[in-house]
Amino acid sequence: MKSQNELHKETSPYLLQHAENPVHWKAWNPEALALAKKENKLIIVSVGYSACHWCHVMEHETFEDSEAAEVMNQNFISIKVDREERPDIDAVYMKAVQIMTGRGGWPMNVVCLPDGRPVWGGTYFRKAEWMETLDQLQELYVSNSEKMIDYAEKLHQGIESIRLFPKTESQDNFDFGLIEGFLEKWKKSFDWEFGGYARAPKFMMPNNYAFLLRYGYQKNDRELLDFVNLTLTKMAYGGLFDTLGGGFSRYSVDMKWHVPHFEKMLYDNGQLISLYADAYKLTKKPLYKEVIEKTLDFVETELTNSVGGFYSAYDADSLNEKNHLEEGAFYVWKKEELQDLLKDDFGLFSKVFNINDFGFWEEENYVLIQNKSLEKIAKEENLQLFELHEKKKSWEITLYIAREKRSKPRLDDKCLTSWNALMLKGFADAFKALGNNKYLEIALKNADFILQNLWKPEGNLLHNYKDGKTTINGYLEDYCFVIEAFISLYEITLDEKWLNYSKQLADYCFDNFYDKNNHFFAFTSNKDEPLITKHYEIEDNVISASNSVMAGNLFKLHIYFENSYYEKIAQKMLSQVLPNIDYPSAFANWLNVFLNFSDQNRELAICGENALENSLEIQKHYLPNILFAGSRKDSFLPFLKDRYIPGKDLFYICQNKTCDLPDTKLSSVLEKLKF
């Protein structure tokens, strides 16, 4: 009998992982949804992603099982969704699961009426519970569908009610005293031993520390700066960071950043590079430079395709020595193996990387983690610091070579526009901090990849790319992060085409995503098929919300192009958000945008033959409150108009559309810009 599983037609690595299941999976498309209505069948929407460990577990236990598949195939239309390809579907049904169960996560499994409205859902289920629940739901649908429809209607109203904040009057003058109140509450959750927040699992939340670093710097708040540096140091020490091959895993299951769910996601690493680049500018800590260099080497080596696109993820699971898929198998070490590889250096290595109770995980496995600085260990062991540094480098090379002989984690080789833009910005920010021209070249190649493959002549971006194919129209997250990345490219090249591209994309968003009634941008374009409810991404999470990023973009573009409408919309968006902030950690990027409107913000125009060199020199310093612009010739950019004078290097420090007389000395300008 011919398989009725249709996922072999897809390009998503996650969907293809399920293409051999006995379940009659379909992808989310109009045909599958129409079939559910035609046959009056309940729909199973099962959402996950390729690097998700528990998604693999549920597949193996349940979706590969013929008994479970029979229950699904008999009475349901089963739809598999890659949450990374379809974040819109994921967001809508995740809201439903959170309302029903009080929590969320992946895999996410929802049962819906034939019209797509959810009636039941949750995350991971064992086979017996899954089958029993499906039987009960089917029985209820046959015997008392009115009850199920009534519940679906109430749940749908609940989803609709939480999608936006209550509307408030727009304000032009903001009260920056709000931030101190937020911080008072925020600081209560700080973990002063290991950094981050005092809970497990522990997510990295780059936008949180980007804001706290900026605010600590602008307010000269030593406590905040110390906390951010503690967090970044402990994250770099932990098993969360792969000290051998570079790159961060998604989160740690414990309080000390030790044992991660071992998947490495492009979006985490792109944002973390930007964060560590800023922290390096401020502190010049060699550890931060090491993190940046190792991570970008990992991205270049393992996550970059031949045309400059960045792949999405490395899986948590890999084949162990028994040829079975096991979480973390690629990364963990047994004591005997380390002793064989490191010989006489094993004792010292153990002190650096804790081959002891602190570094032990489970089943004789150790996950490498530092808990002391090399300076401290060198002192304790009566060694020269440079000598210990050299030994650490040598050990890491030895272990890296040995590890490369292992079976590597599975690769998710699709490219997503939004995540590519986050990584592009990471390379641009690393170039600002470290001045390595290779980072600029990779950033420009990736920008060209986006222009050539993911931006259509009609003006819209596409969301995904794999093997030369693009199948999904872009979401707001694609536009906002590409705009942000292109602005970063402008800052390091002074090539105004990147700003013009950014403006084109912003204007496209106003035409196709902006909702004038509530002053926010919808997540999906008005050209896309509507889901059961409209989604507006407002809260910042492990990735900043697309609306907060758009607000930040509009603030910058309003200055470059002297466009008061952009400024007005950014203000209106902030005005809706600020009165509704309860947990500030969920609005960290909004608070970053908020700081742009403070009287500490400045704009710097750099004009003259040496404008680019002078701009890059200034951007080596941590100046989060400065917007940069510059030109080596006459510029058509409104902000730079009539500022260029041949034969002179001029620096204009401006605020709120008013500029000081131009300065001619780089050192003098830097002195004025620093706090």
Side-chain angles (χ1 to χ4, degrees):
M1 181 182 168
K2 188 181 174 186
S3 169
Q4 294 182 53
N5 185 326
E6 298 179 359
L7 297 186
H8 63 277
K9 302 174 185 175
E10 302 301 310
T11 59
S12 157
Y14 176 66
L15 298 187
L16 291 171
Q17 283 173 7
H18 292 76
E20 300 301 319
N21 294 170
V23 178
H24 296 164
W25 290 120
K26 300 180 184 304
W28 183 283
N29 54 46
E31 294 76 22
L33 299 173
L35 184 65
K37 286 181 179 176
K38 179 185 172 187
E39 298 188 358
N40 192 28
K41 283 187 174 181
L42 294 173
I43 301 170
I44 294 170
V45 180
S46 182
V47 184
Y49 59 101
S50 73
C52 165
H53 171 69
W54 288 104
C55 300
H56 304 328
V57 174
M58 189 164 176
E59 179 194 12
H60 179 63
E61 290 178 349
T62 304
F63 301 143
E64 290 178 358
D65 182 88
S66 56
E67 196 180 7
E70 189 179 344
V71 171
M72 296 170 70
N73 296 340
Q74 190 173 357
N75 296 312
F76 299 85
I77 300 298
S78 298
I79 298 178
K80 251 292 162 204
V81 175
D82 180 341
R83 70 168 293 262
E84 296 167 356
E85 281 199 341
R86 294 301 305 263
D88 55 334
I89 297 169
D90 176 61
V92 166
Y93 288 109
M94 186 62 78
K95 283 179 190 172
V97 168
Q98 287 169 336
I99 290 171
M100 287 186 278
T101 69
R103 61 191 182 89
W106 300 277
M108 175 176 66
N109 294 284
V110 183
V111 173
C112 307
L113 295 176
D115 63 8
R117 287 181 296 169
V119 293
W120 173 88
T123 53
Y124 164 77
F125 296 94
R126 295 189 183 279
K127 173 189 159 185
E129 183 187 6
W130 177 250
M131 291 169 59
E132 185 182 344
T133 303
L134 292 185
D135 283 339
Q136 290 171 355
L137 288 166
Q138 174 60 18
E139 190 179 322
L140 181 63
Y141 188 58
V142 171
S143 64
N144 196 352
S145 60
E146 294 83 5
K147 184 177 179 181
M148 200 176 262
I149 291 166
D150 183 55
Y151 177 76
E153 181 56 36
K154 287 186 172 69
L155 180 59
H156 188 246
Q157 287 170 4
I159 297 168
E160 289 274 282
S161 70
I162 62 169
R163 69 181 187 172
L164 279 170
F165 296 130
K167 207 166 175 183
T168 58
E169 286 300 310
S170 181
Q171 299 172 1
D172 292 333
N173 296 313
F174 293 121
D175 176 12
F176 291 93
L178 283 170
I179 295 177
E180 285 302 318
F182 294 148
L183 280 170
E184 194 178 332
K185 182 175 185 177
W186 206 339
K187 286 178 180 179
K188 290 175 184 173
S189 63
F190 288 2
D191 179 347
W192 278 99
E193 185 178 2
F194 293 106
Y197 300 122
R199 58 176 179 257
K202 216 160 191 170
F203 287 85
M204 295 168 289
M205 307 301 291
N207 52 42
N208 280 221
Y209 304 110
F211 167 73
L212 293 173
L213 187 73
R214 176 177 177 182
Y215 192 74
Y217 167 76
Q218 290 186 205
K219 288 292 183 180
N220 197 22
D221 185 330
R222 180 47 54 190
E223 184 187 39
L224 270 188
L225 293 175
D226 287 347
F227 175 69
V228 174
N229 279 303
L230 170 72
T231 300
L232 298 191
T233 299
K234 294 293 188 179
M235 277 166 44
Y237 277 177
L240 183 82
F241 177 67
D242 178 8
T243 191
L244 304 185
F248 288 85
S249 294
R250 201 164 71 89
Y251 65 93
S252 91
V253 299
D254 55 76
M255 295 277 284
K256 61 186 186 185
W257 306 109
H258 183 208
V259 180
H261 266 312
F262 288 88
E263 65 266 43
K264 291 180 182 175
M265 313 302 295
L266 185 71
Y267 64 79
D268 284 320
N269 285 285
Q271 294 176 97
L272 286 165
I273 288 300
S274 295
L275 175 59
Y276 275 90
D278 280 346
Y280 178 75
K281 287 182 186 182
L282 187 58
T283 66
K284 295 296 186 282
K285 277 188 82 164
L287 177 65
Y288 297 168
K289 183 180 181 186
E290 181 186 334
V291 164
I292 294 166
E293 291 175 339
K294 284 180 175 177
T295 300
L296 293 185
D297 188 53
F298 162 71
V299 173
E300 183 188 5
T301 306
E302 304 291 343
L303 295 184
T304 305
N305 68 19
S306 60
V307 288
F310 300 129
Y311 298 137
S312 292
Y314 242 19
D315 206 327
D317 297 355
S318 51
L319 294 172
N320 61 20
E321 63 269 16
K322 295 175 183 172
N323 219 33
H324 295 145
L325 278 176
E326 180 185 316
E327 187 185 5
F330 182 69
Y331 299 100
V332 301
W333 300 89
K334 290 189 166 49
K335 191 173 184 177
E336 296 74 20
E337 188 179 7
L338 293 169
Q339 286 170 328
D340 288 345
L341 288 164
L342 299 164
K343 308 286 189 289
D344 293 344
D345 270 354
F346 175 74
L348 184 57
F349 175 90
S350 296
K351 286 178 180 169
V352 173
F353 286 113
N354 287 286
I355 311 305
N356 51 34
D357 288 348
F358 189 81
F360 181 74
W361 177 27
E362 62 181 16
E363 296 177 8
E364 299 179 25
N365 289 320
Y366 290 84
V367 178
L368 304 184
I369 180 172
Q370 292 176 252
N371 63 350
K372 288 182 185 177
S373 68
L374 292 188
E375 289 82 355
K376 192 168 184 180
I377 294 173
K379 199 171 180 182
E380 289 172 358
E381 298 296 315
N382 201 21
L383 288 167
Q384 294 291 324
L385 181 58
F386 80 87
E387 187 183 351
L388 187 55
H389 269 294
E390 289 306 308
K391 277 187 175 292
K392 181 172 176 278
K393 279 185 194 171
S394 170
W395 299 333
E396 288 173 348
I397 291 167
T398 299
L399 296 188
Y400 178 80
I401 291 168
R403 199 177 75 175
E404 282 294 289
K405 295 170 185 169
R406 298 176 180 178
S407 224
K408 287 194 174 184
R410 293 181 290 185
L411 173 70
D412 186 322
D413 62 349
K414 69 177 180 293
C415 299
L416 298 175
T417 305
S418 52
W419 297 8
N420 269 249
L422 285 168
M423 196 71 243
L424 192 168
K425 184 175 184 295
F427 273 100
D429 289 340
F431 174 69
K432 291 175 191 173
L434 303 183
N436 186 332
N437 280 314
K438 181 170 76 168
Y439 299 158
L440 173 60
E441 290 163 13
I442 292 171
L444 287 168
K445 188 173 181 182
N446 182 254
D448 190 57
F449 164 75
I450 291 171
L451 293 175
Q452 298 302 320
N453 299 283
L454 294 161
W455 194 354
K456 293 183 74 175
E458 294 81 5
N460 63 303
L461 289 173
L462 297 161
H463 179 62
N464 65 326
Y465 172 97
K466 187 172 183 290
D467 301 332
K469 294 179 185 172
T470 53
T471 56
I472 300 168
N473 193 25
Y475 304 107
L476 184 64
E477 68 173 32
D478 299 306
Y479 291 84
C480 74
F481 289 122
V482 169
I483 292 168
E484 184 182 50
F486 283 0
I487 291 172
S488 286
L489 268 186
Y490 167 72
E491 290 171 342
I492 57 175
T493 62
L494 301 187
D495 187 339
E496 290 173 15
K497 76 178 183 184
W498 301 115
L499 288 184
N500 291 323
Y501 288 152
S502 295
K503 186 177 187 302
Q504 285 178 49
L505 291 171
D507 290 341
Y508 185 91
C509 288
F510 275 110
D511 291 340
N512 295 281
F513 291 84
Y514 187 59
D515 188 329
K516 291 177 182 174
N517 293 323
N518 61 47
H519 308 309
F520 289 111
F521 293 84
F523 190 74
T524 48
S525 161
N526 57 24
K527 294 184 175 177
D528 289 320
E529 284 291 315
L531 299 176
I532 59 165
T533 188
K534 215 165 192 177
H535 174 47
Y536 298 85
E537 192 175 59
I538 310 291
E539 287 193 18
D540 298 318
N541 206 302
V542 290
I543 302 177
S544 296
S546 46
N547 269 288
S548 72
V549 179
M550 273 304 293
N553 291 336
L554 292 175
F555 175 84
K556 289 185 176 182
L557 292 174
H558 108 261
I559 292 169
Y560 288 128
F561 292 99
E562 294 183 355
N563 186 317
S564 60
Y565 181 68
Y566 291 170
E567 180 185 29
K568 181 177 142 196
I569 298 305
Q571 285 176 325
K572 280 187 173 179
M573 293 167 80
L574 266 173
S575 294
Q576 303 305 305
V577 170
L578 290 170
N580 291 288
I581 292 178
D582 185 15
Y583 297 98
S585 60
F587 298 91
N589 194 56
W590 284 107
L591 294 176
N592 214 341
V593 177
F594 187 30
L595 286 182
N596 291 343
F597 288 92
S598 81
D599 59 11
Q600 290 183 322
N601 238 61
R602 300 284 186 276
E603 302 88 47
L604 178 64
I606 306 170
C607 299
E609 290 175 16
N610 300 301
L612 181 58
E613 294 81 356
N614 287 329
S615 174
L616 293 176
E617 188 59 39
I618 291 174
Q619 288 182 85
K620 285 179 184 173
H621 299 267
Y622 181 60
L623 300 166
N625 58 316
I626 308 299
L627 179 139
F628 292 91
S631 181
R632 291 178 283 192
K633 56 186 181 181
D634 276 325
S635 171
F636 294 104
L637 197 66
F639 177 65
L640 294 176
K641 202 167 184 299
D642 300 328
R643 296 199 193 279
Y644 173 79
I645 298 175
K648 289 188 176 183
D649 283 327
L650 299 173
F651 303 84
Y652 300 84
I653 298 175
C654 311
Q655 183 186 28
N656 196 20
K657 304 176 182 66
T658 304
C659 298
D660 297 340
L661 288 171
D663 206 323
T664 57
K665 287 187 179 176
L666 181 64
S667 57
S668 167
V669 172
L670 267 172
E671 200 60 39
K672 290 174 183 174
L673 294 178
K674 287 183 179 179
F675 283 98

